[in-house]
């Protein structure tokens, strides 16, 4: 069972920072999940929220600032908001990267285009995820060799009779653990690579026996101890 560090080791260190990613690698995570947005000068940055306020105190959108301006902000512990280039350089294939494209109607296509170009020679260890189907379809159009993750948080998505045919181009399904009973009942664990999020201390013995591919957690040590 794969252990994915959500926004790095984000329970103990500032989320989506190089420090959180470094600590996740040191802890032995199989993969790192992070969030992609586009700066004003079209640099791919690692940041979750659509506002900088919660993390940095600045009431602006990440897309409104240049990379240089974003680098001056402190997301915690004196860290900086990193770029995708920095994470790729840090990881060097020592863990799988799952890059979640944050949907913004005005920037998502350009973000997909730049990201696809940056990772085109790293597809053995870099993958892309999103909740939004438009993003996934566009990324598939740009490069059908990129492994895609469909993020799912609604039961209605799993219960759709066309679910499996609709997402035939998707490699993984990253599903809210609150939907685990539906996943088990439908037998998805036997037919698909499923990653549950966010896992804390749930007993996943039934799911592992049924073929659970992986879990995503803010604190990876629990998962590593229970592989």
């Amino acid at each position: 069972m794969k252990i994915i560090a959500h926004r790095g080791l984000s329970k103990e260190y500032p989320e989506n920072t190089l420090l959180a990613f470094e600590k996740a690698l040191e802890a032995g995570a199989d993969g790192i999940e992070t969030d992609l947005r586009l700066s004003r000068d079209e640099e791919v940055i690692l940041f979750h929220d659509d506002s900088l306020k919660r993390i940095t105190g600045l009431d602006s959108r990440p897309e409104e600032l240049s990379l240089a301006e974003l680098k001056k902000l402190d997301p915690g512990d004196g860290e900086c908001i990193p770029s995708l280039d920095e994470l790729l350089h840090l990881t060097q294939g020592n863990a799988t990267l799952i890059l979640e494209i944050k949907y913004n109607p005005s920037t998502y296509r350009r973000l997909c285009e730049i990201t696809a170009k940056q990772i085109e020679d790293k597809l053995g260890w870099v993958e892309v995820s999103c909740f939004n189907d438009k993003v996934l379809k566009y990324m598939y159009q740009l490069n059908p060799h990129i492994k895609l993750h469909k993020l799912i948080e609604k039961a209605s998505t799993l219960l759709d009779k066309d679910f499996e045919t609709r997402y035939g181009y998707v490699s993984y399904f990253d599903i809210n653990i609150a939907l685990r009973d539906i996943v088990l009942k439908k037998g998805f664990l036997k037919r698909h690579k499923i990653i549950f999020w966010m896992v804390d201390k749930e007993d996943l013995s039934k799911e592992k026996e049924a073929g659970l591919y992986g879990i995503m957690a803010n604190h990876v040590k629990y998962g590593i101890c229970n592989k």
Side-chain angles (χ1 to χ4, degrees):
M1 187 175 72
K2 304 294 184 182
I3 311 299
I4 312 299
H6 180 245
R7 305 180 199 170
L9 207 62
S10 56
K11 187 173 182 178
E12 299 179 357
Y13 304 95
E15 66 180 56
N16 282 331
T17 62
L18 292 180
L19 176 62
F21 301 139
E22 288 171 358
K23 295 301 182 181
L25 292 172
E26 290 175 9
D30 299 299
I32 291 171
E33 184 270 353
T34 189
D35 307 283
L36 303 192
R37 291 187 177 274
L38 205 59
S39 69
R40 190 183 67 216
D41 51 347
E42 295 196 339
E43 294 288 343
V44 180
I45 62 165
L46 312 182
F47 199 83
H48 176 272
D49 296 3
D50 59 7
S51 170
L52 294 161
K53 190 168 186 179
R54 176 178 68 92
I55 299 296
T56 72
L58 181 66
D59 192 8
S60 297
R61 296 179 62 85
E63 292 84 358
E64 295 172 341
L65 278 67
S66 68
L67 179 61
E69 291 168 331
L70 289 163
K71 285 291 186 184
K72 295 177 182 177
L73 304 177
D74 184 354
D77 292 357
E79 288 290 299
C80 298
I81 296 172
S83 67
L84 176 56
D85 273 337
E86 290 175 295
L87 179 57
L88 294 172
H89 181 73
L90 171 70
T91 310
Q92 293 291 328
N94 290 315
T96 298
L97 295 183
I98 302 175
L99 310 176
E100 182 186 343
I101 303 286
K102 304 306 291 183
Y103 176 69
N104 180 319
S106 62
T107 62
Y108 85 89
R109 291 177 72 89
R110 187 62 181 143
L111 176 55
C112 285
E113 291 162 3
I114 296 171
T115 300
K117 188 66 176 176
Q118 283 187 256
I119 69 173
E120 64 182 351
D121 60 345
K122 301 174 178 65
L123 300 187
W125 54 280
V126 183
E127 303 164 356
V128 172
S129 71
C130 195
F131 284 100
N132 189 286
D133 288 355
K134 286 192 294 186
V135 172
L136 292 173
K137 289 176 182 176
Y138 189 56
M139 188 62 79
Y140 183 74
Q141 178 184 333
L142 290 170
N143 188 340
H145 300 294
I146 295 174
K147 292 179 181 177
L148 300 174
H149 295 240
K150 166 65 178 174
L151 289 164
I152 299 172
E153 60 182 348
K154 295 180 180 178
S156 58
T157 303
L158 295 176
L159 295 172
D160 187 326
K161 62 182 177 63
D162 297 322
F163 168 73
E164 292 181 272
T165 55
R166 177 172 297 170
Y167 297 109
Y169 64 98
V170 169
S171 299
Y172 305 88
F173 296 102
D174 300 0
I175 302 174
N176 189 318
I177 196 169
L179 304 177
R180 62 197 289 193
D181 289 344
I182 297 175
V183 172
L184 273 170
K185 184 177 180 181
K186 290 283 189 178
F188 290 149
L189 293 170
K190 292 182 174 64
R191 299 195 299 277
H192 303 290
K193 291 180 178 178
I194 305 293
I195 297 173
F196 279 132
W197 57 269
M198 300 300 299
V199 174
D200 187 7
K201 293 184 178 180
E202 290 87 354
D203 180 1
L204 295 174
S205 53
K206 288 190 301 182
E207 287 82 357
K208 286 195 288 185
E209 186 177 343
L212 178 62
Y213 177 79
I215 65 169
M216 194 176 296
N218 295 318
H219 183 66
V220 301
K221 291 180 182 177
Y222 161 76
I224 289 172
C225 292
N226 291 274
K227 279 191 176 183

